[in-house]
């Protein structure tokens, strides 16, 4: 008999969903009061300045680089402008991220007057004033006029408003950080990826400003925050101590449960940004929570259950589906599951395993029958070794995916209908609802893959062969919904066939082609890169990952990504797994 590892996942707060503050809706340029000059110092960066005796197009390219530096109201960029242009230019209008920038002398591309330039480029993204990256596509073309000043220096006299950065400059000058909000149940932290200027003079103040201002628009309906709009944030020195003090003014009589969530959001937002701790957290000039230790760190026991770096799959053995049955892999070999889950005659094509709040596993599987156009599929749910319940019947069903805490399991019927099945431990039964996906209808094609993220607040899917991420809206009065769908453009030539969420909320995508079979993709679309391909043979039918290991089911075997002593990565077959077995990582 296999040994079950138990891990308590009970939230630090029970039933906080009804008392959480709603997401603050604050102007993005509001700032917390900073009452001390300390900050983790911004990086020393090389910033270009106008140079005499160089060509106008070189001056223009230097200006494009200088725009990456927002300090002192873009003082570095304004040095490249004439006095009138510097006074009238509005850089805050928007920030575009460009590629393949082409500078052409003369508006029509023919003239060589030397004072008017046309700049053409392709847009790959944009950055909002709250640091949220949005993938974009399209062509960009603007005119710039240049004139000499009294010293003979070429300066820009006419230009469009906004910031426009080449992608390489953007990646060199900005760095991503997670701002942590809270799921509607108050049980999990939800990362919201934002990009901050590397030379930010006070990163603590900037990160707290973003936390206080609330989530990006796309996540707004799916998450909440413990920081109500009336709370003002300030920072202060800790005499003769390392770390930083933060005061939440206006907290009033909020409960310790909500105060604990404020601590978790703050500590994880600042700690994961690499800023110096520990943190002394006050509310209205007194300790945020009376506790034995005044300083807060990411290891504080009060917020341990909200640790966003913990994945259920990290402490559970790998399972696989092989010949229609589920096996658990141990050092001593593979152990077949109890009951129908371990029967080759159960026709399991896909399976998923959730871990409930008591640390116990709940299974879900798709039984596939028939062939060709005469097929049927059933989603079954239950405990291993006990009676199962049928939740959904259809012609085809996607691989199931559990919400955190095994609260519900998701699948897509016939590529069109998203179902959510809720397991009831007390009744030993399962109920289902059809999820509202009206906002997805504008995106063409059927859904072939569907995965819920580690926080339960976002869903990723392959729809019509396109990678799409949507926000999960939870509701007690109406069916749950998927809203704010955003398609993520993958590199040219990538044909996705499988996907999964990484525990850090990035996406792993399995490709159809051999050139780069597995990709890691950021959910905001800001970047993607191919994992090593050594030993992999496409197509990649399934991918799965824990915090430590990535698994890929290729054409011949189940493979895992490993590193040798020289940190060179390559894929090898998972030991003790014969043939093509599909990986199951506990969710």
């Amino acid at each position: 008999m296999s040994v079950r590892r138990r891990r308590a996942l009970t939230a630090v707060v029970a039933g906080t969903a009804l008392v959480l503050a709603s997401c603050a809706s604050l102007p993005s340029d509001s700032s917390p009061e900073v009452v001390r000059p300390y900050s983790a110092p911004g990086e020393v960066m090389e910033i270009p300045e106008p140079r005499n005796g160089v060509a106008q197009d070189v001056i223009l390219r230097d200006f494009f680089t200088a725009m990456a530096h927002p300090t002192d109201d873009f003082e570095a960029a304004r040095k490249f402008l004439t006095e009138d242009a510097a006074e009238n230019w509005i850089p805050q209008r928007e920030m575009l991220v460009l590629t393949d920038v082409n500078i052409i002398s003369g508006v029509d591309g023919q003239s060589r007057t030397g004072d008017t330039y046309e700049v053409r480029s392709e847009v790959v993204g944009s950055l909002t004033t709250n640091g949220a990256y949005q993938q974009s596509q399209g062509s960009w073309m603007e005119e710039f006029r240049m004139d000499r000043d009294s010293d003979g220096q070429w300066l820009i006299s006419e230009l469009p408003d906004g910031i426009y950065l080449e992608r390489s400059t953007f990646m060199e000058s900005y760095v991503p950080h997670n701002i942590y909000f809270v799921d509607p149940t108050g049980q999990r932290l939800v990362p919201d990826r934002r990009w901050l200027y590397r030379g930010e003079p006070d990163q603590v103040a900037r990160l707290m400003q973003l936390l206080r201002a609330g989530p990006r628009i796309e996540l707004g309906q799916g998450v909440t925050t413990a920081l109500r709009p009336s709370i003002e944030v300030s920072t202060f020195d800790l005499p003769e101590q390392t770390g930083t003090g933060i005061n939440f003014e206006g907290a009033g009589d909020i409960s310790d449960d909500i105060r604990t969530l404020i601590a978790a959001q703050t500590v994880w937002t600042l700690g994961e940004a690499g800023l110096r701790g520990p943190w002394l957290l006050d509310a209205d000039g007194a300790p945020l929570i009376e506790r034995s230790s005044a300083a807060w760190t990411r290891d504080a026991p009060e917020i341990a259950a909200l640790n966003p770096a913990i994945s259920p799959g990290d402490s559970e053995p790998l399972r696989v589906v092989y010949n229609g049955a589920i096996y658990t892999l141990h050092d001593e070999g593979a152990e077949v599951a109890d009951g129908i889950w371990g029967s080759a005659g159960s026709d399991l094509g896909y399976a998923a395993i959730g871990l409930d709040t008591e640390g116990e596993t709940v299974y879900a599987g798709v039984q596939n029958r028939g062939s060709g156009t005469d097929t049927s599929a059933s989603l079954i749910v239950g405990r291993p070794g006990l009676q199962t319940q049928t939740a959904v019947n259809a012609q085809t069903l996607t691989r199931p995916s559990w919400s955190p805490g095994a609260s519900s399991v998701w699948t897509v019927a016939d590529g069109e209908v998203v179902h959510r099945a809720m397991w009831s431990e007390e009744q030993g039964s399962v109920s289902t609802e059809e999820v509202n996906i009206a906002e997805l209808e504008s995106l063409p094609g059927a859904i072939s893959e569907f995965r819920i993220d580690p926080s339960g607040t976002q869903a990723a899917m392959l729809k019509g062969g396109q990678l799409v991420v949507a926000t999960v809206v939870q509701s007690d009065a109406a069916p749950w919904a998927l809203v704010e769908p955003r398609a993520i453009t993958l590199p040219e030539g990538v044909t996705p066939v499988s996907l999964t969420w990484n525990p850090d909320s990035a996406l792993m995508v399995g490709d159809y082609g051999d050139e780069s079979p597995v990709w890691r993709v950021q959910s905001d679309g800001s970047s993607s890169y191919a994992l090593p391909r050594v030993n992999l043979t496409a197509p990649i039918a399934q991918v799965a990952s824990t915090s430590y290991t990535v698994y890929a089911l290729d054409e011949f075997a189940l493979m895992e990504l490993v590193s040798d002593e020289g940190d060179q990565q390559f894929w090898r077959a998972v030991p003790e797994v014969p043939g093509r077995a599909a990986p199951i990582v506990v969710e």
Side-chain angles (χ1 to χ4, degrees), residues 208-291:
M208 292 307 298
Q209 172 196 353
L210 294 174
L211 178 60
R212 179 175 174 266
R216 67 168 69 203
I217 293 175
E218 294 86 353
L219 281 179
Q221 297 182 64
V223 302
T224 185
T225 179
L227 277 172
R228 63 190 185 190
S230 60
I231 294 177
E232 297 290 335
V233 183
S234 60
T235 54
F236 56 91
D237 284 324
L238 300 180
E240 300 180 0
Q241 296 184 37
T242 59
T244 305
I246 299 175
N247 183 54
F248 300 93
E249 192 69 30
D253 58 355
I254 60 176
S255 69
D256 280 354
D257 291 343
I258 301 301
R259 290 169 182 254
T260 300
L261 289 175
I262 291 176
Q265 288 184 253
T266 301
V267 169
W268 281 98
T269 294
L270 299 179
E272 282 211 343
L275 296 174
R276 188 174 68 188
W279 316 100
L280 183 65
L281 305 183
D282 284 355
D284 302 317
L288 179 66
I289 297 176
E290 291 292 348
R291 53 199 295 270

Side-chain angles (χ1 to χ4, degrees), residues 477-525:
W480 288 21
L482 297 177
V483 302
E484 298 287 350
R486 47 265 187 208
I488 297 178
T489 302
L490 297 173
E492 187 176 355
V494 176
T495 303
V497 294
S498 57
L499 79 153
T500 194
W501 288 93
N502 217 41
D504 64 2
S505 293
L507 290 158
M508 310 301 296
V509 176
D511 189 20
Y512 185 82
D514 273 321
E515 186 65 29
S516 302
V518 179
W519 288 78
R520 177 183 168 90
V521 181
Q522 293 297 341
S523 59
D524 63 359

Side-chain angles (χ1 to χ4, degrees), residues 420-438:
R420 187 175 71 94
M422 292 74 74
W423 168 255
S424 171
E425 179 64 33
E426 293 181 358
Q427 301 177 4
S429 62
V430 63
S431 59
T432 63
E433 74 172 12
E434 183 178 325
V435 178
N436 181 350
I437 60 170

Side-chain angles (χ1 to χ4, degrees), residues 266-511:
T266 301
V267 169
W268 281 98
T269 294
L270 299 179
E272 282 211 343
L275 296 174
R276 188 174 68 188
W279 316 100
L280 183 65
L281 305 183
D282 284 355
D284 302 317
L288 179 66
I289 297 176
E290 291 292 348
R291 53 199 295 270
S292 57
S293 173
W296 289 83
T297 68
R298 287 179 291 182
D299 297 325
E302 295 88 346
I303 59 176
L306 290 158
N307 186 342
I310 292 178
S311 169
D314 294 343
S315 58
E316 288 284 328
L318 177 68
R319 276 88 161 179
V320 297
V321 175
Y322 180 68
N323 281 346
I326 296 177
Y327 292 83
T328 301
L329 304 185
H330 300 287
D331 291 339
E332 61 273 15
E335 177 185 5
V336 69
D338 295 333
I340 192 173
W341 308 103
S343 171
S346 64
D347 299 315
L348 283 178
Y350 303 118
I353 299 177
L355 203 66
D356 67 17
T357 55
E358 300 299 323
E360 300 290 341
T361 54
V362 187
Y363 284 28
V366 172
Q367 295 176 311
N368 291 320
R369 297 183 175 88
S371 61
T373 58
D374 185 20
T375 61
S376 64
S378 298
L379 175 68
I380 58 173
V381 183
R383 297 281 191 192
L386 301 178
Q387 185 176 359
T388 62
Q389 300 288 327
T390 299
V392 181
N393 291 303
Q395 186 175 8
T396 64
L397 292 171
T398 60
R399 180 165 58 120
S401 180
W402 283 99
S403 290
S407 58
S408 58
V409 64
W410 303 63
T411 188
V412 181
D414 302 326
E416 297 179 346
V417 183
V418 178
H419 290 278
R420 187 175 71 94
M422 292 74 74
W423 168 255
S424 171
E425 179 64 33
E426 293 181 358
Q427 301 177 4
S429 62
V430 63
S431 59
T432 63
E433 74 172 12
E434 183 178 325
V435 178
N436 181 350
I437 60 170
E439 293 193 22
L440 272 65
E441 292 177 356
S442 60
L443 300 173
I447 300 173
S448 58
E449 277 271 83
F450 186 94
R451 312 305 296 164
I452 294 295
D453 84 333
S455 70
T457 59
Q458 295 187 90
M461 68 201 80
L462 298 180
K463 192 174 194 303
Q466 188 172 32
L467 177 58
V468 177
V469 176
T471 299
V472 177
V473 177
Q474 303 182 21
S475 174
D476 293 329
W480 288 21
L482 297 177
V483 302
E484 298 287 350
R486 47 265 187 208
I488 297 178
T489 302
L490 297 173
E492 187 176 355
V494 176
T495 303
V497 294
S498 57
L499 79 153
T500 194
W501 288 93
N502 217 41
D504 64 2
S505 293
L507 290 158
M508 310 301 296
V509 176
D511 189 20

Side-chain angles (χ1 to χ4, degrees), residues 555-575:
E555 187 176 4
F556 300 111
L558 175 59
M559 310 290 283
E560 61 182 350
L561 186 63
V562 297
S563 300
D564 63 19
E565 294 181 357
D567 291 330
Q568 294 296 316
Q569 290 186 310
F570 61 94
W571 297 86
R572 71 177 179 194
V574 176

Side-chain angles (χ1 to χ4, degrees), residues 65-90:
T65 302
M67 281 190 291
H69 306 281
T71 51
D72 297 324
D73 192 23
F74 294 90
E75 178 185 21
R78 293 184 191 274
K79 292 180 179 179
F80 288 82
L81 309 181
T82 63
E83 184 175 342
D84 287 344
E87 182 178 347
N88 295 320
W89 179 52
I90 306 175

